[in-house]
Amino acid sequence: MKHNLLVIGHRGAKGVYPENTLGSIQKAIEAGADMVEIDVHACAGGEIVVMHDDRLERTTDGTGYVSRKSLTYLKGLDAGQGEKVPTLREVLDLIERRIAVNIELKGPGTLGPVLHILGEYVSRHGWTYDQFVVSTFARKHLKRLAKHHPKVRIGALLAYRPWGFIPFARAIRAYSVHLNLRVTSPRLIREAREAQLKVFVWTVNDPIDIDRMRAWGVDGIFTDFPARTS
Ligand code: G3P
Ligand code: MG
């Protein structure tokens, strides 16, 4: 950790390499990130794959919805610079416990399979639950996590409308709140701190914003350029 600021590589190192690919995650590790953030969807066969959008066009040479495609189809796609769409397991195998992982649940049908995989990596591959944060904007999934999976660190994601968000995050015993830079304020940070919540802010790329977040005392930032924080 640099200067007490947790550096979280956003979609790996999105600013320097195709997002959510093994190469991007490798770049984040090389840049000294403390954690990487990845987005996940379930594909047609139920496997958990790492991708941000629910459709394939923006980040691959495929077309259509990821949830309707087989893993075999997805593995035939180019995710940029010859990279493939990785599975969650492939990402965890690459990281090999060197840094922590924030798994953001994007598509439907991801919560159960992700928790199953994390349980497997804890029981069989030497990971510990404190190396994972599972986050989502979907409040119903956050509540399910809180109710049924107390071992998992919960990251409560906020895009807009901060009113009532910190009490909600506290009620579900979240580990961290992941705040949109646009709504982050000293007041919101103070409120989160008083509720014993870690404050991680996304997506902080401009050096001026990085310095401001540091000055405001946030715990971590998601950044497309993990090397910029050194
Ligand atoms: O998890 C932080 C951030 O990634 C949330 O927004 O759209 O980049 O997944 P998005
Ligand atoms: Mg994300």
Side-chain angles (χ1 to χ4, degrees):
M1 201 190 307
K2 293 156 185 156
H3 314 294
N4 299 321
L5 186 71
L6 197 84
V7 175
I8 307 163
H10 186 232
R11 308 184 201 173
K14 175 180 182 285
V16 296
Y17 211 70
E19 66 183 56
N20 282 322
T21 62
L22 294 181
S24 194
I25 290 156
Q26 183 62 35
K27 292 274 185 211
I29 294 170
E30 286 166 11
D34 302 292
M35 185 187 294
V36 281
E37 185 257 10
I38 55 171
D39 308 285
V40 298
H41 286 267
C43 66
E47 294 91 349
I48 298 298
V49 294
V50 180
M51 181 173 294
H52 181 273
D53 300 1
D54 54 2
R55 291 188 64 93
L56 299 167
E57 287 83 352
R58 185 180 61 84
T59 58
T60 75
D61 55 354
T63 56
Y65 288 97
V66 59
S67 61
R68 297 191 189 154
K69 304 295 179 186
S70 67
L71 186 59
T72 309
Y73 173 84
L74 295 173
K75 281 296 182 189
L77 302 179
D78 183 352
Q81 304 210 20
E83 291 280 336
K84 300 289 176 203
V85 175
T87 63
L88 174 58
R89 287 174 198 278
E90 286 168 339
V91 167
L92 298 180
D93 291 342
L94 170 74
I95 294 174
E96 267 195 315
R97 298 179 282 149
R98 286 176 290 172
I99 60 173
V101 187
N102 171 204
I103 301 160
E104 182 187 343
L105 308 176
K106 283 290 191 204
T110 48
L111 178 56
V114 164
L115 292 171
H116 179 81
I117 291 169
L118 300 195
E120 183 187 312
Y121 276 72
V122 168
S123 61
R124 295 200 210 142
H125 301 294
W127 288 69
T128 52
Y129 274 107
D130 62 7
Q131 292 173 300
F132 300 113
V133 179
V134 177
S135 63
T136 174
F137 289 107
R139 294 200 180 187
K140 76 170 184 198
H141 286 146
L142 291 169
K143 287 181 192 161
R144 262 180 68 194
L145 271 167
K147 194 165 175 193
H148 301 296
H149 305 281
K151 286 185 199 156
V152 174
R153 285 184 167 177
I154 301 172
L157 262 161
L158 177 70
Y160 301 105
R161 292 194 288 277
W163 307 280
F165 179 70
I166 300 299
F168 166 76
R170 187 181 184 174
I172 59 162
R173 296 189 316 277
Y175 169 75
S176 47
V177 285
H178 301 184
L179 308 177
N180 184 343
L181 175 62
R182 293 181 198 176
V183 302
T184 300
S185 64
R187 184 178 166 177
L188 192 60
I189 294 167
R190 191 165 56 246
E191 199 188 345
R193 289 207 165 288
E194 284 167 8
Q196 321 284 317
L197 294 158
K198 299 262 185 218
V199 177
F200 301 152
V201 180
W202 54 276
T203 304
V204 190
N205 291 330
D206 186 326
I208 292 170
D209 289 324
I210 294 172
D211 286 347
R212 189 159 52 100
M213 290 306 107
R214 206 173 251 137
W216 285 1
V218 306
D219 297 288
I221 56 165
F222 296 87
T223 180
D224 297 337
F225 300 92
R228 277 191 192 166
T229 56
S230 52

